[in-house]
Amino acid sequence: MNISVEHIAIVAKDPIALKNWYERVLGAREVFNNGQNPPTYLVALGNVWFEIYVADKSLPDTTNNKLAGFRHLALRVDSLEVAKAELEKRGVKFTEPERPAAGGGRVLFFEDGEGNLLHFVERPKDSQLH
């Protein structure tokens, strides 16, 4: 049996604005639009897809990284400094300092347009986690 991740769902208060944020800030590209109102999108970031669709309700604290369930999306980068500088140009605010990454390296957290947690992860060049 061959299992791989096809997509991850991001349920949004405003799916149009959130899709636009992922495109503008992270360079994602739309691969599907159902053409309905409210819309459902599939956007690609690298070889991972995100399904973005409208929420019925939301949790009061989406930025709490200790709640049960999926809590953040980790994005691998070659350089935290370069990635941070580029996203700051695109309006992203980084409110926490970098910290050590599980398995080696460094991470830097930030939020998407709706407050969902993401973080960059930079691994050492000789890391076995590739």
Side-chain angles (χ1 to χ4, degrees):
M1 174 171 34
N2 184 15
I3 299 174
S4 64
V5 174
E6 197 228 42
H7 74 268
I8 300 165
I10 306 174
V11 189
K13 297 172 202 158
D14 183 341
I16 296 168
L18 192 59
K19 175 197 77 92
N20 291 341
W21 187 93
Y22 276 83
E23 290 174 333
R24 179 181 58 80
V25 175
L26 298 180
R29 63 181 174 78
E30 182 180 305
V31 296
F32 173 78
N33 178 339
N34 71 352
Q36 297 178 12
N37 190 13
T40 295
Y41 301 104
L42 286 173
V43 298
L45 183 61
N47 61 356
V48 175
W49 290 355
F50 301 96
E51 181 180 19
I52 300 174
Y53 57 93
V54 73
D56 288 335
K57 61 182 180 175
S58 64
L59 294 172
D61 189 7
T62 58
T63 62
N64 183 341
N65 204 28
K66 298 290 186 177
L67 293 174
F70 293 106
R71 291 282 46 97
H72 64 261
L73 174 66
L75 305 170
R76 178 79 65 97
V77 296
D78 292 330
S79 166
L80 281 186
E81 290 78 15
V82 170
K84 178 183 179 188
E86 186 59 38
L87 263 59
E88 285 176 331
K89 291 179 194 172
R90 299 174 190 183
V92 173
K93 304 273 191 266
F94 293 85
T95 59
E96 296 182 19
E98 69 178 58
R99 54 184 137 168
R106 306 179 298 157
V107 298
L108 182 62
F109 278 84
F110 61 100
E111 298 174 14
D112 72 12
E114 290 202 357
N116 299 302
L117 286 176
L118 298 97
H119 73 73
F120 288 136
V121 60
E122 175 191 301
R123 299 284 181 195
K125 300 292 183 229
D126 62 351
S127 174
Q128 296 180 13
L129 300 176
H130 285 281

